[in-house]
Every structure is written in structure tokens, then in C-alpha cells.
Amino acid sequence: MKLFKTTFAEFLQFEALKNQTLKEDLSELILNIADSCKGIRKILSQGYLGGDLGAVVDINVQEEDQKKLDVISNSIILEYCAKGSSVKALASEEMEKPVVVAPRSGKYLMLFDPLDGSSNIDINGPVGTIISILPSSSCGDIEQDFLQPGSNQIAAIYVLYGPSTNLVLTLGNGTYEFTLSPVEDEFFLTGSKLEIPADTSEFDINSSNYRFWEKPVRRYIEECLEGKDGARGRDFNMRWVGAMVCDVHRVLSRGGTFMYPMDEKLRTKGGRLRLMYEANPMSFIIEQAGGLASTGYQRILEVQPTNLHQRIPVILGSKNEIELINSYHIDY
Ligand code: AHG
Ligand code: MN
Ligand code: MN
């Protein structure tokens, strides 16, 4: 049996010795994030005994239903992370404006999707939390300060609340996976320098939107569906969990592609997923594991944001497949 020895805190201490960007206060913030996710995990584990966590309580800035657990998760993260002198401000899917914590001394900006995959709450399906950490500039306007491309991120984290709880982290030096021990209530290192296979025969898309997709995405999926008799010469498998965190974790675990591409009904909104607290942190994590993340036309991490809550098409996963999908967009 494999013994898991390195705790999350120990990993951060080792990393700090070789990673200049991992200052003590950044480690402290990352540990607070991990603790807040343990709190969310506890509430999730109560399931239907914890009240109607999937009940709609409000509408958020995205004009989407805000569920009870979205609001609770947002409050838990704020409780653990909106303190001290190192975090300048925090922005979330569930808050129209950032919460300012330390406008003068703060070095870090944190963005988060407190609960990803809210539509899975009612069905006891997997959900997650996504976090992006950016450096703060001295720029006076805090909202403006957040509008940095994803390539500026100094850390990205997601936590998957599945049958077990995984925390996946990059500090720009590879992608690492930790698993929560329910006995010790501690995250332990279970995967170092993860590598996504460059080739895959598994795709992941909500195909109910087929009629709205652009031609390059239709072409790619049609060719996958044709299987070994078609242009690709092999059979493909399909998945769709409905929670980006879990779908991306599958890509990270065994390769594959994940897409929420541009489509005709999303065009005026810019896409489905949010750039700054969904697409950017996930793209950073995927690229650090050897995968690629693009809009079809551009590398996601190079997109200059214009709005905290802006949306973007997302096409990510195994390198060779994403390059092929990108080439279909160029042809088009
Ligand atoms: P959120 O619950 O934070 O709003 O995000 C849900 C996102 C993403 O996780 C998932 O990939 C996608 O929405 C699912 O969308 P569909 O319901 O259109 O499949
Ligand atoms: Mn989400
Ligand atoms: Mn969410």
C-alpha cells in the first residue's frame, strides 16, 4: 500500500526553498484557501441532511440562479481569506464588486468561483472550487488592477469535491495533486508534476448545443463521432459531468479534451465560462501539466481582460487534439 507522507503545509515549505514567488504570506493565503475548502467539504458531506443546499436564493451578477450553497461557499472563503495584510482584494463569481481587504499593503489579488457545477448540488454530483491568484500592481483603481492576463497568475488552485476531495495546485512550476484524508483532516501529496498525455480518444462537450456551434467545432466532433471509419481512423468516447472542475480533473488524470466553445446563443455574452475565475486558473493548471488551452483562435492565458466577470470560449486538454482543433479554426 502506498503511504502518503507529504502534507500540503510541508509541500509549501519545501517549495518555498526553491520558488522565489512563494513568499511566506502567499503560503499562508494558500493554506487558508485549503482550510476554507475543508469547510465547504464538511457542509457538502451532510448532503440532504444539511437542508436544501440547492435551493435558489437570489440571482447573481451573471444573471444566473444563486443557490444556497453558492452563497455559503462564498462566505466561507471570505471568512478564511479576506483577512491579514497580504491580500489586497478578492473577487468572486457571486459578488458584483471586489471585497477590498488591504488596499495599501496587499500584494495579492484573489479571484474565485466558490462553487463550480451548482446544478449538481441537487443530484449529489461532483462540484468544485476554483481559485486564481494574481500579483497586485500599485495601480490605484482596484477593479482595474484585477484586469491582468492569465499569464500573470502566480498560483491557481481547484478543489474537486467528489467521492474523495482533491486539491490541485500550480505555482508555475508544474501541477501537483493532493488528496484530503478524512481521518486526519489533512491534504496529502498524491501526484507530482502531472503530465497530460498528448494524444487522446475522449472528448467532453455538452452536445445539446450542437446546432449552435461554429463550423470548426462541429467538424471536430463529427469526425470524432465517425470513429474508425472516418477521418480520425479511431473510435472516440464522450463524457460530460456538468462541473468544469470534475471534467478538467478527468483530462488531467487520463487525458482528453474539454470544451465549452463559442456558440450562436452565447455570442452576445462572449461564451459560457468566466475568464478570470474559471478559464484562466484552469488553463494555467492544464498548461503546467503539458496540455493546451485556447478559445479556438487564441491562447486563453494571453487574453487581455476588460471586465471582471467576462466570459470566454474554452477548449482545453491533450496537446495534439487542441492543436488540431485550433487548426480547424484557422482553416475556417
Ligand atoms: P457554475 O456552477 O460555477 O455556474 O459553473 C457551471 C459551469 C461549468 O462548471 C460547467 O462546465 C458548465 O457550467 C455546465 O454548463 P451546462 O449546464 O450548459 O452544461
Ligand atoms: Mn463555475
Ligand atoms: Mn460557481
Side-chain angles (χ1 to χ4, degrees):
M1 198 182 86
K2 193 174 171 187
L3 286 175
F4 302 132
K5 286 193 179 132
T6 309
T7 67
F8 190 47
E10 286 165 350
F11 169 84
L12 292 174
Q13 282 166 13
F14 295 144
E15 269 309 291
L17 300 175
K18 46 185 184 164
N19 185 338
Q20 285 300 311
T21 57
L22 191 61
K23 309 260 167 30
E24 202 178 307
D25 50 8
L26 180 57
S27 294
E28 199 180 300
L29 171 61
I30 292 173
L31 287 170
N32 288 341
I33 291 168
D35 284 343
S36 68
C37 293
K38 287 183 199 171
I40 295 171
R41 166 82 269 179
K42 286 200 177 103
I43 290 175
L44 276 165
S45 297
Q46 293 172 22
Y48 304 128
L49 301 172
D52 192 359
L53 296 171
V56 177
V57 290
D58 210 341
I59 304 281
N60 67 12
V61 63
Q62 321 286 332
E63 293 177 356
E64 289 170 346
D65 289 345
Q66 207 171 31
K67 303 198 168 160
K68 193 170 166 187
L69 196 58
D70 289 319
V71 177
I72 294 174
S73 305
N74 195 65
S75 305
I76 292 176
I77 294 173
L78 286 180
E79 184 190 325
Y80 280 86
C81 303
K83 59 184 181 188
S85 56
S86 64
V87 184
K88 187 171 189 173
L90 301 95
S92 155
E93 179 190 1
E94 307 304 341
M95 307 187 297
E96 187 176 357
K97 297 278 173 198
V99 167
V100 180
V101 183
R104 285 192 191 84
S105 60
K107 287 190 282 189
Y108 308 114
L109 299 167
M110 176 172 150
L111 296 113
F112 59 104
D113 174 357
L115 199 85
D116 175 64
S118 305
S119 67
N120 282 354
I121 299 171
D122 293 340
I123 60 156
N124 193 21
V127 290
T129 294
I130 311 174
I131 285 140
S132 164
I133 300 174
L134 287 164
S136 162
S137 69
S138 50
C139 153
D141 183 314
I142 286 186
E143 218 164 312
Q144 197 61 36
D145 202 358
F146 274 99
L147 302 182
Q148 305 175 42
S151 54
N152 281 11
Q153 290 173 104
I154 45 185
I157 297 170
Y158 72 72
V159 174
L160 166 61
Y161 312 102
S164 67
T165 304
N166 298 124
L167 184 154
V168 172
L169 162 81
T170 186
L171 297 161
N173 179 29
T175 294
Y176 294 84
E177 178 206 70
F178 302 82
T179 301
L180 182 65
S181 158
V183 178
E184 287 146 287
D185 199 31
E186 190 90 68
F187 282 102
F188 290 89
L189 183 66
T190 49
S192 292
K193 300 251 181 200
L194 302 180
E195 279 183 39
I196 299 171
D199 292 301
T200 180
S201 297
E202 201 163 58
F203 65 91
D204 188 337
I205 193 164
N206 182 343
S207 59
S208 69
N209 297 318
Y210 175 89
R211 67 193 186 283
F212 303 113
W213 294 338
E214 291 181 336
K215 281 209 170 98
V217 171
R218 277 199 203 194
R219 174 182 171 191
Y220 176 75
I221 298 297
E222 278 162 8
E223 289 178 357
C224 290
L225 295 175
E226 284 163 8
K228 60 179 186 311
D229 302 326
R232 302 304 307 278
R234 66 183 195 268
D235 291 335
F236 279 74
N237 193 13
M238 195 201 87
R239 287 287 184 274
W240 185 253
V241 175
M244 183 191 199
V245 168
C246 190
D247 283 309
V248 168
H249 194 68
R250 186 186 49 73
V251 169
L252 201 61
S253 305
R254 66 178 187 215
T257 55
F258 165 83
M259 285 191 253
Y260 215 119
M262 178 54 82
D263 74 37
E264 279 320 308
K265 73 178 159 40
L266 293 171
R267 196 167 293 283
T268 53
K269 289 183 170 179
R272 167 77 166 94
L273 298 171
R274 279 52 62 110
L275 171 62
M276 300 213 61
Y277 39 81
E278 290 181 318
N280 272 344
M282 289 315 212
S283 300
F284 191 21
I285 285 168
I286 288 293
E287 288 199 2
Q288 284 295 317
L292 292 179
S294 105
T295 64
Y297 301 96
Q298 187 185 6
R299 183 175 170 233
I300 287 175
L301 292 179
E302 287 171 6
V303 173
Q304 174 59 51
T306 53
N307 181 308
L308 212 51
H309 298 287
Q310 92 184 63
R311 296 173 189 258
I312 191 156
V314 174
I315 296 173
L316 61 77
S318 292
K319 184 172 173 287
N320 292 341
E321 291 299 303
I322 303 305
E323 278 174 353
L324 180 69
I325 301 168
N326 285 344
S327 75
Y328 288 1
H329 283 80
I330 291 166
D331 291 351
Y332 173 61

